[in-house]
Amino acid sequence: MKALVTGITGQDGSYLAEFLLKKGYEVFGLIRRSSSFNTYRIDHLYKDPHERPKLKLIYADLTDGSNLHSVLNEINPDEVYNLGAQSHVRVSFDQPIYTANVDALGTLRVLEAIRSMKKSAKFYQASSSEMYGKVVETPQTEKTPFYPRSPYGCAKVYSFWQTVNYRQAYNLFACNGILFNHESPRRGETFVTRKITRAATRIKLGLQNKLYLGNLDAKRDWGFAGDYVEAMWLMMQQEKADDFVIATGQTYSVREFLDEVFGHLNLDWGKYVEIDPKYYRPTEVDLLLGDASKAKKILGWQPKIGFKELAKMMTDSDMKIAENERILKDHIK
Ligand code: NAP
Ligand code: F7E
């Protein structure tokens, strides 16, 4: 089986690549040209003598349709996972047009490239709980209407419906995973959980004094990325393509995440955290809580890692990074 993954250098792409390689897939990852190294999350796979022959990286970009067209027709994958995106909600307010180009039109470009293939591939779209935005009901299910609150959320709604429409209009196997927030030690450092675990561990070791944050009252349904990529694959193994909510069914505030992380390090976050309004969003998503009953029933999927374990896993991992930073700092002195 051949799988093509856009966004392979991101958090989810790296876990999905690991998962698919273990299942024996040949994995083709699309990467962007960058002036600095951007493959650190998958370097361990590339260096592994067992995995390396099955992992191929190809330059491509979701803004370049002709490039996607030729890559897909050349590789002829069985499954395409579209994880590539400008995925930062706050940044999408600064770069709405770029975000729409990548996150909305980028999906359409991939769908059009699939439609041009002789033997069409199955398609997975990385849809998001951000589509629920100013939620109209709680918990959110596959039937909850969307009410996006950011250019990112709007772009994801566009891609959601294009995926549904290509399924209905062209009989493509095209599914949406509506994933609620999922984190890991590989989470980008500007997302709130990782920003907190990085800062708390650095504060503990005297490498940093303050942590500047925005809205501490926002609540999220936070799961572990490693659990969530399994759900993506399960969706693609069904007889019929469909859309599924993937979530833990528990919601916690940013404040509670601070309690967990700083508590684990025996620190009082009140002494270190300051509010900087620059991290507020013009429109906020106050509360997300997913109901993954459909995925549990049809896919047999269950989240394995809960909130406290996730916070501990990320804190312990970042403590190792902070310890290395301190060794390096002492060495330079
Ligand atoms: P991430 O860590 O930000 O990774 C995004 C990936 O997209 C990176 O590989 C990035 O490449 C790539 N990318 C960005 N712009 C691109 C472009 N123009 N062309 C091709 N690739 C591009 O995101 P993630 O957390 O793994 O999330 C994966 C997907 O799930 C995204 O679509 C995200 O919107 C969606 N999602 C995430 C969550 C979550 O909680 N994590 C929840 C729901 C949905 P570089 O490495 O070169 O930047
Ligand atoms: O913010 C608040 C912020 O940026 C979470 C993406 O993966 O999940 C992610 O989007 C909450 C928000 O994630 C800071 O206002 C407070 O309410 O970690 P985040 P997100 O916006 O929920 C969804 C499902 C996706 O699809 C996205 O791709 O935390 N918050 N202070 C802060 N957030 C950040 N980033 N930085 C702060 O300083």
Side-chain angles (χ1 to χ4, degrees), residues 105-149:
L105 289 179
T107 308
L108 190 56
R109 291 183 186 104
V110 177
L111 284 165
E112 273 296 278
I114 292 178
R115 208 159 68 86
S116 75
M117 290 166 63
K118 275 201 200 96
K119 178 182 90 54
S120 94
K122 290 183 173 182
F123 177 76
Y124 172 87
Q125 170 57 17
S127 285
S128 166
S129 52
E130 280 295 302
M131 300 187 303
Y132 298 119
K134 191 170 164 57
V135 297
V136 301
E137 67 179 6
T138 297
Q140 295 86 50
T141 73
E142 293 78 5
K143 295 201 169 85
T144 303
F146 300 140
Y147 190 155
R149 292 272 277 177

Side-chain angles (χ1 to χ4, degrees), residues 180-195:
F180 282 61
N181 296 54
H182 46 280
E183 321 292 307
S184 74
R186 296 184 202 165
R187 184 56 142 155
E189 292 186 28
T190 60
F191 296 96
V192 79
T193 54
R194 187 80 198 286
K195 186 171 167 184

Side-chain angles (χ1 to χ4, degrees), residues 68-138:
L68 292 168
H69 185 279
S70 53
V71 167
L72 265 97
N73 279 281
E74 205 181 300
I75 295 168
N76 271 308
D78 300 287
E79 297 174 5
V80 174
Y81 295 84
N82 185 35
L83 310 185
Q86 188 304 90
S87 74
H88 203 285
V89 174
R90 178 68 193 84
V91 171
S92 78
F93 287 97
D94 300 328
Q95 294 196 287
I97 292 169
Y98 175 72
T99 302
N101 193 7
V102 178
D103 299 11
L105 289 179
T107 308
L108 190 56
R109 291 183 186 104
V110 177
L111 284 165
E112 273 296 278
I114 292 178
R115 208 159 68 86
S116 75
M117 290 166 63
K118 275 201 200 96
K119 178 182 90 54
S120 94
K122 290 183 173 182
F123 177 76
Y124 172 87
Q125 170 57 17
S127 285
S128 166
S129 52
E130 280 295 302
M131 300 187 303
Y132 298 119
K134 191 170 164 57
V135 297
V136 301
E137 67 179 6
T138 297

Side-chain angles (χ1 to χ4, degrees), residues 230-245:
E230 186 196 6
M232 298 175 186
W233 178 79
L234 284 169
M235 284 177 220
M236 296 284 254
Q237 311 316 309
Q238 302 305 302
E239 249 173 51
K240 208 171 119 272
D242 204 346
D243 310 316
F244 294 91
V245 160

